[in-house]
């Protein structure tokens, strides 16, 4: 096995660089794994003894922090744009989606009303049943942007 001359970490014989500190393994001494005295002698003379976390882990944690900050920034931008869309729609007196703030909405009627069809049949016969069944007052608004449905 090899011993890193920078941090004292134990490496495999075929290692190209130290997984702990990242130093290239060009002049690392190859030592028998049973020779504990030689291993401790080399490890005692390294300039940066191995600490708890490898540098690559610290780098990954830094990158993850940057990624999270970027994600939070994008989410805040989305939230701000939603708030500004809602505010603008209120000022202009337009209808808007309560979920995403979009003004691209449509109103969908329920096509049939069984109760009105029965009343129409009793009052005006079969013609009244047809007209009563097709004239429903119930419906809902649907956002074309996010698909959210709500009653008006």
């Amino acid at each position: 096995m090899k011993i890193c001359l920078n941090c004292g970490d134990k490496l495999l014989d075929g290692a190209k660089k130290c997984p702990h500190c990242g130093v290239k393994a060009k002049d690392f001494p190859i030592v028998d794994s049973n020779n504990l005295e030689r291993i401790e002698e080399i490890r005692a003379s390294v300039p940066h003894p191995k600490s708890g976390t490898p540098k690559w882990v610290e780098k990954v944690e830094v990158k993850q922090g940057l990624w999270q900050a970027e994600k939070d920034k994008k989410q805040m931008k989305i939230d701000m744009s939603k708030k500004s869309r809602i505010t603008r729609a209120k000022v202009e007196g337009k209808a808007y989606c309560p979920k995403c703030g979009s003004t691209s909405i449509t109103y969908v009627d329920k096509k049939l009303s069984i109760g009105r069809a029965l009343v129409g049949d009793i009052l005006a016969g079969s013609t009244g049943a047809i007209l009563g069944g097709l004239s429903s007052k119930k419906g809902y608004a649907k956002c074309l942007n996010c698909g959210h449905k709500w009653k008006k």
Side-chain angles (χ1 to χ4, degrees):
M1 80 174 164
K2 293 181 181 179
I3 304 290
C4 176
L5 294 176
N6 185 49
C7 68
D9 197 13
K10 296 177 184 178
L11 312 172
L12 296 174
D13 289 337
K16 303 262 186 223
K17 67 178 186 175
C18 177
H20 185 77
C21 66
V23 173
K24 291 186 179 178
K26 53 184 173 186
D27 296 328
F28 290 172
I30 297 175
V31 181
D32 182 27
S33 59
N34 295 328
N35 190 351
L36 298 177
E37 292 176 13
R38 177 76 177 131
I39 292 171
E40 288 305 316
E41 178 185 320
I42 295 171
R43 288 179 121 186
S45 65
V46 296
H48 306 289
K50 183 177 172 181
S51 63
T53 49
K55 286 186 179 180
W56 65 268
V57 171
E58 292 172 4
K59 288 179 184 178
V60 168
E61 289 172 351
V62 168
K63 285 184 180 180
Q64 285 176 340
L66 292 173
W67 292 331
Q68 186 63 40
E70 189 67 28
K71 185 178 175 183
D72 293 344
K73 188 176 176 183
K74 285 181 182 179
Q75 185 62 39
M76 183 176 277
K77 195 174 189 180
I78 289 170
D79 290 345
M80 289 305 293
S81 65
K82 176 184 170 184
K83 287 179 184 177
S84 65
R85 282 190 305 229
I86 290 173
T87 304
R88 189 171 356 118
K90 283 182 179 178
V91 168
E92 294 174 0
K94 292 183 178 178
Y96 62 91
C97 173
K99 184 175 179 184
C100 71
S102 172
T103 55
S104 300
I105 59 172
T106 186
Y107 188 76
V108 181
D109 287 329
K110 284 180 88 178
K111 299 296 179 192
L112 300 175
S113 173
I114 295 172
R116 286 178 170 254
L118 291 175
V119 171
D121 184 36
I122 293 170
L123 295 177
S126 61
T127 308
I130 293 171
L131 292 175
L134 293 177
S135 63
S136 175
K137 287 187 176 180
K138 293 183 180 178
Y140 57 91
K142 181 178 180 183
C143 178
L144 298 174
N145 189 30
C146 69
H148 180 66
K149 297 177 186 176
W150 70 98
K151 291 182 180 180
K152 62 176 187 165

